[in-house]
Amino acid sequence: SASMIEKKGNNEKFREAFAAYVPQEIDRITRLIDSLLDYARPSVSIIEKVNLTEVIESVYALAKVTAKNTNVIMEIRDKEKLYFLGDKDKIKQALLNLMINSIEATKNRMAEDKLSHKIKIEAFAENKNIHIKVSDDGVGMTPEELERCTMPFYTTKPAGTGIGLALIKQYIEEAEGTLSIDSVKRKYTCVEIQLPSIDIQGGKADEKENLNN
């Protein structure tokens, strides 16, 4: 408070601690405001045909560089069917955020058990939908954390804003997709995204089928 600053302003240790604390708090508040604006502002999307294989391979390459002492695995099937209509940058950001979450989860688990852990990103096509899964055997979540994890401003991270998963969910729903999460504390977390696929010619798979009937 202002009175505490006035009383302890001449204390050298207090001044040093205060000088270190204030920039950190400013950074935290700035991140929170930026995240809030991203979540709340009307979203402008650039809709185009997106090759998800290219997006996933790019995200995987970034994760491999970032994840130290963690086995990062990529598995892609049905490459010719992994196309959807949506915003390429948003889906890439969503997948990158999920991979960062997994990297942090495995890092925290390694700090506990000193063992190596695994992250996997996989994609395949099934029933006219694209399925993308990001899974890890990191710290996992309790039932309460799992229930609340996509709510805005809910976070278990000391420096978290609580917007990350909420924003990812928003991006996926804008693309007419769904987001589901399964997790067990100190066992695993698996996040699955489903998106409507299109054929390479450009129409949604179910619309193309209806036109042919």
Side-chain angles (χ1 to χ4, degrees), residues 15-31:
R15 289 201 307 270
E16 291 175 355
F18 188 76
Y21 172 78
V22 170
Q24 293 175 2
E25 278 302 290
I26 291 173
D27 288 344
R28 185 185 66 82
I29 293 169
T30 300
R31 289 196 304 270

Side-chain angles (χ1 to χ4, degrees), residues 52-69:
L52 275 170
T53 299
E54 293 179 354
V55 173
I56 293 168
E57 287 175 346
S58 174
V59 169
Y60 169 76
L62 290 170
K64 284 283 286 185
V65 173
T66 307
K68 296 179 180 179
N69 303 317

Side-chain angles (χ1 to χ4, degrees), residues 43-168:
S43 182
V44 178
S45 297
I46 301 174
I47 305 302
E48 59 183 325
K49 181 174 66 178
V50 179
N51 181 343
L52 275 170
T53 299
E54 293 179 354
V55 173
I56 293 168
E57 287 175 346
S58 174
V59 169
Y60 169 76
L62 290 170
K64 284 283 286 185
V65 173
T66 307
K68 296 179 180 179
N69 303 317
T70 301
N71 185 18
V72 184
I73 301 168
M74 178 178 65
E75 182 179 310
I76 301 177
R77 305 191 298 275
D78 312 311
K79 289 186 177 183
E80 73 283 357
K81 298 179 181 178
L82 300 185
Y83 290 81
F84 87 108
L85 286 176
D87 189 301
K88 182 178 180 179
D89 289 339
K90 286 184 178 180
I91 191 65
K92 183 174 182 179
Q93 188 62 54
L95 293 177
L96 189 57
N97 285 357
L98 290 177
M99 292 295 281
I100 290 171
N101 286 349
S102 285
I103 290 169
E104 291 176 351
T106 53
K107 180 181 177 181
N108 292 339
R109 186 73 189 277
M110 279 189 283
E112 294 177 358
D113 60 21
K114 312 303 180 185
L115 299 175
S116 178
H117 290 277
K118 181 175 70 176
I119 298 169
K120 183 176 183 179
I121 183 167
E122 58 183 312
F124 58 93
E126 184 178 80
N127 297 329
K128 302 169 187 173
N129 284 315
I130 298 166
H131 298 252
I132 307 170
K133 294 183 179 181
V134 176
S135 57
D136 65 73
D137 59 352
V139 292
M141 289 183 277
T142 66
E144 180 188 6
E145 290 169 343
L146 182 59
E147 183 179 356
R148 301 177 64 188
C149 66
T150 59
M151 294 180 181
F153 307 114
Y154 177 77
T155 182
T156 59
K157 301 176 183 179
T161 62
I163 296 294
L165 279 173
L167 196 58
I168 290 170

Side-chain angles (χ1 to χ4, degrees), residues 127-129 176 196-199 203-213:
N127 297 329
K128 302 169 187 173
N129 284 315
E176 300 181 14
S197 64
I198 61 170
D199 67 3
K204 288 183 182 178
D206 55 352
E207 292 175 352
K208 188 74 172 179
E209 183 176 288
N210 289 337
L211 288 172
N212 292 333
N213 288 341

